[in-house]
Amino acid sequence: MDYELRKMTSSDIFPICSIIKKIGIDEVKGIISSPEMKEMLSKGDKADATSLGMAFILDAASLIVGNLPKCEAELYRFLSSMTKKAEKELREIKPAEFLELIIAVIKHEDFRDFFKGASQLLK
């Protein structure tokens, strides 16, 4: 599928925040502070660091995949606005193309700038 991503605007902040919230960003904090993670962190050797990283990635990926259906409508609406493609058209593309589109949005310079700016709020 051919698509061109438009420049993002301030009105994109709201659907992005909604999608992130529904994906479970608050729950990711729970993974980090879980007793299992705390125990692995307290050991502090290199082998445990690798195990800790893998455990976190798997837990976070499981959480995100499990929560994706919660933001399906918002995700299609947002991707439709970013590509100027109809939501119906996006619903009919191949799974690999859909994932490529999501990755392209995440790598989009404006998207990265959004997170860079949002991270400043946490400092």
Side-chain angles (χ1 to χ4, degrees):
M1 177 176 108
D2 291 325
Y3 56 85
E4 184 176 325
L5 298 176
R6 65 168 173 76
K7 287 283 197 185
M8 295 177 77
T9 66
S10 61
S11 65
D12 292 314
I13 292 171
F14 306 102
I16 290 171
C17 289
S18 177
I19 291 167
I20 290 170
K21 178 73 172 171
K22 287 184 177 183
I23 282 177
I25 196 71
D26 291 336
E27 294 168 278
V28 170
K29 289 188 270 183
I31 293 170
I32 294 169
S33 61
S34 72
E36 296 83 12
M37 291 290 175
K38 286 181 180 179
E39 182 182 336
M40 288 178 140
L41 279 171
S42 69
K43 293 181 182 175
D45 66 30
K46 237 181 202 179
D48 284 338
T50 301
S51 296
L52 177 67
M54 287 304 297
F56 173 75
I57 289 169
L58 291 174
D59 287 350
S62 175
L63 174 72
I64 291 167
V65 168
N67 284 336
L68 271 178
K70 294 179 184 177
C71 62
E72 178 181 0
E74 291 93 339
L75 188 56
Y76 278 116
R77 196 168 26 257
F78 177 67
L79 292 174
S80 174
S81 78
M82 287 295 296
T83 61
K84 298 181 183 172
K85 301 279 185 189
E87 287 181 47
K88 183 180 185 308
E89 185 178 354
L90 292 175
R91 290 177 182 274
E92 295 172 353
I93 64 176
K94 293 178 182 177
E97 291 175 343
F98 186 73
L99 293 173
E100 286 175 18
L101 176 56
I102 291 172
I103 291 167
V105 170
I106 291 169
K107 289 182 174 181
H108 191 283
E109 182 179 341
D110 293 342
F111 193 81
R112 289 192 319 257
D113 287 347
F114 165 77
F115 279 98
K116 189 176 180 182
S119 70
Q120 296 298 313
L121 295 173
L122 302 175
K123 290 184 177 182

